[in-house]
Amino acid sequence: MGQIALSHVHDEAPFIDTIDESVQLSQVNAKLKPFGTELSSLPGHVYYVNHCAFGKQNALHMVVDTPEGKVTVFIVPEQSPAAASFNDKTMAGIVMPLQNASLIVVGDKNADMQPVAKTIKSELQWQI
């Protein structure tokens, strides 16, 4: 999942880097609905949110301003077996298992994605 996320962020950077849709919580939650969850609050200014192709499945793709800088967040409807870190020459990220899904956060290689992922995970509220 980490390699798919890195490739996805690199491929879409020219399009996504200049967008600022000033996304509201209601818009994020509308996009999260198919995954059975919603956020209780935004983790920072949301520049972009949409669904995307992630490997052979659809995922939520969100770009957020955080204390660690601008990060890309994916919610993927496949649970990772355990938390795992990944990186390449310019970016680093983390995959965290969720209820029937995975949270993936990708940012600058020198940033710590762990606190960002923990904050987002704590704000997710799962529907029954």
Side-chain angles (χ1 to χ4, degrees), residues 21-32 42 49 60:
E21 298 176 335
S22 296
V23 178
Q24 302 299 309
L25 181 61
S26 61
Q27 294 168 283
V28 173
N29 285 337
K31 298 291 184 184
L32 282 169
L42 293 176
V49 66
L60 172 95

Side-chain angles (χ1 to χ4, degrees), residues 68-81:
E68 293 295 325
K70 203 173 192 181
V71 301
T72 300
V73 176
F74 298 99
I75 304 285
V76 181
E78 175 185 333
Q79 190 174 39
S80 62

Side-chain angles (χ1 to χ4, degrees), residues 2 6 13 20 31 36 43-44 48 60 71 78 81 86 90 101 103 105 119:
L6 289 170
D20 185 357
K31 298 291 184 184
Y48 173 84
L60 172 95
V71 301
E78 175 185 333
F86 56 89
T90 60
L103 169 65
V105 181
T119 297

